[in-house]
Amino acid sequence: APVVFYPFGSVAGDTVNISVEDENSTLVDLWRPFVFFGSTYNKTYVNSNGYLTFNQSSSEFFIQKFPINGSEDIIAPLWTDIDVSRNGIISYQQYSNGSVLTQVTQDINQYFPDLSFTATWVLVATWDRVEYFYHTGTAGYDTINSTAYFVIPGSINGSVIPNLMNSSNVNVPGRWAFRVDGGPHQNNLQENIIGVQMRVTSFSDLTENGNIEIVLEKLQQELVEFGLPSSVKLNLRKIQKTQP
């Protein structure tokens, strides 16, 4: 089976964060500029509760579900209430040469075959065997004002969080990959078309102009709530009115 994680921890030479409950944010000066949906950053904060920020550190442990419509760009492997003073470590390391760059180059070109990508720098941040209090979380990313965001399905449902190790968008259980430089199809590695047949009860005549658009908009909101990208589009193929 493919290896999910890149090398991490003290054995890999990582810098290990100090274990302080809920208040641990380490500033990392990036070796290369990092472009995130149009914003360029030269630093990031590795926050103890499972996410990266760029403009300021954060000790926020009350989980906020994306989209936040806030003032911070966020990358969240799993944002939840983590206590590293009791168990686990948080570590990070940057690479500008060696086998990690070679592996990342191979992986990204496999996941994005039209990109022709060569890695020149990699930041690996890892939350390893950390203890958390709440059985809810948020995994994915969000941008300033939520102009782009993605929620990994299942990450906001505490009962299925353990199943994240089996989920993927790149056919590697436990691994998700996204293009975040603002390029085409950054939310999806491939376009998916799904046909759905539904029976809807409504007090309004859905065959009248305008009414079905309201239903489609509500359905789109529900799908985004369950983790589909905000760019999901719904097109109506056929509507048939039936008697109660």
Side-chain angles (χ1 to χ4, degrees):
V3 176
V4 176
F5 293 102
Y6 297 115
F8 68 91
S10 57
V11 295
D14 283 10
T15 298
V16 178
N17 282 13
I18 301 172
S19 297
V20 179
E21 177 188 352
D22 291 334
E23 298 179 356
N24 184 15
S25 296
T26 299
L27 172 62
V28 180
D29 291 317
L30 303 178
W31 294 354
R32 300 284 193 279
F34 174 64
V35 178
F36 188 73
F37 292 101
S39 297
T40 301
Y41 295 104
N42 295 300
K43 64 181 180 180
T44 188
Y45 294 89
V46 180
N47 300 300
S48 62
N49 286 315
Y51 57 99
L52 304 177
T53 51
F54 299 92
N55 291 319
Q56 59 185 354
S57 62
S58 175
S59 60
E60 182 62 61
F61 60 87
F62 288 108
I63 297 91
Q64 300 184 54
K65 185 168 58 176
F66 301 153
I68 297 175
N69 293 300
S71 58
E72 182 67 71
D73 286 328
I74 301 172
I75 298 175
L78 183 60
W79 179 1
T80 188
D81 187 10
I82 292 173
D83 183 0
V84 291
S85 68
R86 302 177 63 174
N87 191 55
I89 62 171
I90 302 171
S91 63
Y92 67 90
Q93 184 170 180
Q94 300 185 70
Y95 299 88
S96 59
N97 56 62
S99 60
V100 171
L101 261 67
T102 301
Q103 186 61 54
V104 169
T105 297
Q106 294 175 356
D107 290 342
I108 297 303
N109 281 302
Q110 177 183 345
Y111 306 151
F112 301 88
D114 297 329
L115 194 56
S116 186
F117 176 81
T118 300
T120 59
W121 161 80
V122 172
L123 169 67
V124 178
T126 309
W127 290 257
D128 179 34
R129 303 178 189 274
V130 293
E131 185 171 338
Y132 65 97
F133 290 105
Y134 299 146
H135 295 289
T136 59
T138 295
Y141 61 81
D142 195 15
T143 60
I144 296 172
N145 297 323
S146 297
T147 54
Y149 64 90
F150 187 89
V151 180
I152 293 178
S155 63
I156 60 176
N157 187 332
S159 63
V160 298
I161 282 180
N163 294 335
L164 292 177
M165 69 176 63
N166 300 315
S167 69
S168 177
N169 65 341
V170 292
N171 295 319
V172 179
R175 177 178 287 186
W176 288 72
F178 303 97
R179 182 175 180 180
V180 298
D181 63 346
H185 308 300
Q186 63 266 16
N187 283 331
N188 294 311
L189 299 185
Q190 58 182 355
E191 293 190 18
N192 295 301
I193 301 175
I194 302 175
V196 179
Q197 180 174 309
M198 301 178 62
R199 175 173 290 181
V200 179
T201 300
S202 174
F203 291 106
S204 302
D205 186 351
L206 298 182
T207 60
E208 294 181 0
N209 290 335
N211 290 336
I212 190 60
E213 282 75 13
I214 296 175
V215 174
L216 291 176
E217 181 179 356
K218 179 62 177 177
L219 180 58
Q220 180 187 29
Q221 293 173 355
E222 292 292 330
L223 292 174
V224 171
E225 288 285 332
F226 279 92
L228 269 69
S230 56
S231 59
V232 63
K233 295 181 180 179
L234 301 179
N235 294 311
L236 179 66
R237 180 179 179 185
K238 179 181 179 181
I239 183 170
Q240 181 178 352
K241 184 178 180 180
T242 61
Q243 295 297 326

